[in-house]
Amino acid sequence: MEVMDITITFGMVCIIIYLILVRRNRYWIERNIPQLNPELLFGDVRDVNKTYHIGEKFRQLYTQLKGKHPFGGIYMFTKPVALITDLELLKCIFVKDFQYFHDRGTYYNERDDPLSAHLFNLEGRKWKSLRNKITPTLTSGKMKMVFSTIVATGKQFQDFMLASVQGQTELELKDLLARYTTDVIGTFAFGIECNSVHNPDAEFRVMGKKFFTRPRNILQQFLMNAFPRVARLVGIRSILPEVSDFFMNVVRDTITYRVANNVQRNDFMDILIRMRSDSDIKSDDGTLTFNEIAAQAFVFFIAGFETSSSLVAFTLYELALNQEIQDEARKCVNEVLKRHGGILTYEAAMEMIYLDRVLKECLRKYPPISVHFRITSKDYIVPGTNSVLEAGTSVMIPVLGIHHDPEYFPDPERFDPERFTVEQEAQRHPYAWTPFGEGPRICVGLRFGMMQARVALIHLLTSFRFSCCSKTPVPMRYDLKNGILTPKEGMWLRLEKIDDK
């Protein structure tokens, strides 16, 4: 009898859970929002990281849901998510009604994992306070101050490449470019010569790789995404302890040395040190604590080296596929350098308009951050509808989908820098191209990221011609386990030295 009772009880519990899940998957239907056919446990994302990159999957969902409503209803496992399909609503989320969407809803644990409490993750007043402190450190004026440092690292990379290439050589460029951006950001954000271009086992490079390739515990990921308060309570960390310890020690040693020896380098770390407080963990007077300095230097490094190296890799890929565009880009670079006496100055880099268009078109076709996300802070009535996004609702912006929408970018698979002439941009909806986000939470490091990409391309285009080889990934396939849009098997291209100009 007891066995029968247990069986009946277990069966009833299973039925109740099943009914709860079925009801959960009707969340958007009950609110008259178009949705697709979510699976019971996996929602609309079963094949993410298995068959499709998350950006590709959201591009599919965007295409299926667009035109039916300003947003569509999808499910991340059992979690209802609003997928934005209307650019006017996107404008409201990013700018017009930002007060409803000021947080991303990403996990961080300031107590146990202080490096995770950085500008990208922080919320509310903490985010606003830190943003106000950090923004002045990355203005165009500050970029001009550190430009020579970026160029010096770019020249070292150019010399290494020239020494490596004999005649026509096939090389995997994605890792080489990641080593270049590691060196640039290591110098700028930490004031340390990483030397990873010459030494792929340099510690900065190794730690950067570990951050992106660490195995993810499914239970921990579930708790961080679905129950962040519980995850913080039990002390779950999103950053490997050895990675965290390395960066914390680097920042502490750098600050100690510079303060003791009165060293000033006009780099990012120097700017942060000038705002340093005497506290490690708390500051209410507009200064930065040690933990805040370490977290910002860390996210600047992590967010910058992978995204920028992918941007340059994809750009070289498209230039190899489109030789006439490569010739035009090289011509632009050489003509501007000639006007500046062959010297790469900040002003010269900013005059390379066609190169800028090439980079923008690459960011359209291959946005490193392929999905933006926000969380609704309070009930929000969607303009022009009776629909309400309830407080706590996750909001996703399918950047890759919008960037490949033929309504905004005709023949979207074609690589065409002319899409970004002043005339073309004026005719297009201003929120059709958002690789860095927009509004108050736009990427604070976009100027730096674009600058190190420009410098790399300038040095490479003046030294080499790029073309496809047997290992070139055509068609392109993405690394499914990397949240950043990156090529799956590296970026193999053929390089041929260009004769002295």
Side-chain angles (χ1 to χ4, degrees):
M1 188 67 179
E2 290 181 359
V3 174
M4 181 64 73
D5 289 344
I6 292 173
T7 303
I8 293 172
T9 301
F10 178 75
M12 291 179 65
V13 169
C14 289
I15 291 172
I16 291 170
I17 292 174
Y18 172 79
L19 292 174
I20 290 173
L21 291 174
V22 170
R23 175 66 185 275
R24 188 67 169 170
N25 278 2
R26 291 183 56 82
Y27 177 89
W28 293 117
I29 290 176
E30 292 171 355
R31 289 158 178 77
N32 295 316
I33 303 300
Q35 69 172 50
L36 302 174
N37 298 304
E39 297 185 20
L40 196 63
L41 287 174
F42 295 95
D44 296 293
V45 295
R46 172 189 280 275
D47 45 10
V48 168
N49 297 340
K50 295 179 181 178
T51 306
Y52 298 102
H53 187 275
I54 186 171
E56 294 179 292
K57 185 61 184 180
F58 275 60
R59 176 184 174 181
Q60 286 184 356
L61 297 173
Y62 167 82
T63 301
Q64 291 173 283
L65 290 165
K66 185 192 171 189
K68 300 177 181 179
H69 196 73
F71 68 93
I74 65 170
Y75 299 86
M76 298 283 288
F77 298 98
T78 61
K79 181 180 180 180
V81 172
L83 187 75
I84 307 305
T85 58
D86 177 79
L87 296 189
E88 284 301 310
L89 178 55
L90 176 56
K91 178 180 177 180
C92 291
I93 291 168
F94 275 160
V95 179
K96 188 176 178 181
D97 295 319
F98 176 75
Q99 67 271 25
Y100 290 88
F101 305 98
H102 47 73
D103 297 332
R104 288 194 171 97
T106 47
Y107 177 78
Y108 67 96
N109 185 342
E110 195 167 7
R111 182 192 65 190
D112 303 297
D113 198 13
L115 289 187
S116 68
H118 49 66
L119 197 60
F120 187 87
N121 287 340
L122 285 174
E123 301 175 341
R125 292 181 179 177
K126 286 185 178 180
W127 165 78
K128 186 175 182 180
S129 173
L130 191 59
R131 177 84 184 199
N132 289 337
K133 296 174 184 177
I134 296 297
T135 298
T137 70
L138 293 165
T139 61
S140 56
K142 293 294 193 300
M143 289 301 96
K144 189 173 182 179
M145 287 172 56
V146 302
F147 183 74
S148 60
T149 301
I150 302 174
V151 170
T153 307
K155 183 63 170 64
Q156 291 173 4
F157 179 58
Q158 181 187 41
D159 292 342
F160 172 80
M161 294 293 291
L162 286 168
S164 301
V165 174
Q166 301 299 327
Q168 290 189 2
T169 305
E170 296 179 3
L171 289 178
E172 196 290 289
L173 292 171
K174 176 60 179 69
D175 182 65
L176 285 169
L177 289 164
R179 284 151 59 183
Y180 155 75
T181 54
T182 295
D183 285 353
V184 173
I185 301 176
T187 301
F188 178 62
F190 296 91
I192 292 176
E193 300 292 335
C194 303
N195 199 33
S196 62
V197 164
H198 291 87
N199 176 20
D201 296 322
E203 203 164 9
F204 261 85
R205 177 68 182 132
V206 170
M207 290 300 169
K209 276 186 174 180
K210 282 187 177 182
F211 177 82
F212 282 103
T213 60
R214 65 167 292 186
R216 302 290 177 175
N217 181 287
I218 295 177
L219 177 59
Q220 289 185 352
Q221 287 288 72
F222 175 75
L223 287 175
M224 286 190 291
N225 291 324
F227 303 102
R229 291 183 181 178
V230 174
R232 290 190 187 99
L233 187 64
V234 300
I236 291 177
R237 302 174 63 168
S238 59
I239 302 169
L240 284 172
E242 63 181 304
V243 174
S244 180
D245 291 345
F246 169 76
F247 281 101
M248 293 289 275
N249 289 334
V250 166
V251 173
R252 193 177 297 279
D253 291 346
T254 300
I255 292 175
T256 300
Y257 176 79
R258 291 195 184 190
V259 171
N261 295 278
N262 195 29
V263 175
Q264 296 185 5
R265 295 181 47 148
N266 286 324
D267 55 15
F268 187 57
M269 181 60 69
D270 194 35
I271 296 166
L272 294 177
I273 290 174
R274 291 174 195 169
M275 296 188 289
R276 182 176 64 103
S277 76
D278 295 327
S279 171
D280 273 8
I281 59 174
K282 187 175 181 180
S283 174
D284 299 317
D285 60 357
T287 58
L288 295 174
T289 67
F290 168 76
N291 283 355
E292 286 175 334
I293 290 174
Q296 303 338 300
F298 171 76
V299 73
F300 198 84
F301 174 77
I302 291 299
F305 90 84
E306 185 77 349
T307 55
S308 293
S309 61
S310 291
L311 169 58
V312 179
F314 282 129
T315 302
L316 293 175
Y317 172 71
E318 287 292 343
L319 294 181
L321 291 172
N322 300 276
Q323 290 291 318
E324 70 286 354
I325 297 177
Q326 182 179 161
D327 290 340
E328 186 65 25
R330 185 176 292 107
K331 178 182 176 184
C332 164
V333 169
N334 287 332
E335 287 181 350
V336 172
L337 287 177
K338 186 176 180 179
R339 289 202 301 269
H340 287 263
I343 300 173
L344 178 54
T345 63
Y346 178 83
E347 290 74 18
M350 299 308 292
E351 286 178 24
M352 296 177 184
I353 304 302
Y354 188 78
L355 187 64
D356 197 50
R357 291 176 192 165
V358 168
L359 284 167
K360 285 183 176 181
E361 172 67 347
C362 191
L363 284 167
R364 178 198 68 81
K365 195 170 179 183
Y366 309 98
I369 305 300
S370 57
V371 180
H372 296 313
F373 33 92
R374 298 288 188 270
I375 191 166
T376 313
S377 62
K378 48 189 174 182
D379 288 358
Y380 177 73
I381 300 175
V382 176
T385 75
N386 294 321
S387 302
V388 176
L389 290 172
E390 297 174 350
T393 301
S394 290
V395 174
M396 301 287 191
I397 294 95
V399 182
L400 188 66
I402 296 170
H403 283 193
H404 286 254
D405 188 334
E407 178 182 348
Y408 310 120
F409 300 98
D411 193 6
E413 298 307 316
R414 181 169 57 91
F415 189 82
D416 182 11
E418 297 306 312
R419 300 182 199 273
F420 291 92
T421 63
V422 173
E423 296 76 17
Q424 288 294 316
E425 287 186 309
Q427 294 175 20
R428 192 165 51 239
H429 195 291
Y431 288 80
W433 185 81
T434 59
F436 300 105
E438 264 299 342
R441 286 205 87 134
I442 192 171
C443 174
V444 72
L446 73 89
R447 288 189 183 92
F448 182 86
M450 290 294 283
M451 189 57 68
Q452 68 172 341
R454 280 193 197 96
V455 169
L457 285 172
I458 291 166
H459 281 106
L460 290 172
L461 287 172
T462 54
S463 302
F464 305 100
R465 175 172 295 281
F466 297 87
S467 57
C468 296
C469 64
S470 60
K471 296 181 182 179
T472 302
V474 181
M476 179 55 61
R477 292 189 297 172
Y478 304 118
D479 182 349
L480 304 185
K481 296 183 179 180
N482 193 333
I484 305 297
L485 203 66
T486 58
K488 181 180 180 181
E489 296 169 350
M491 187 63 74
W492 286 88
L493 295 174
R494 178 178 289 111
L495 283 69
E496 181 180 1
K497 285 184 182 180
I498 295 175
D499 293 335
D500 291 341
K501 298 169 287 295

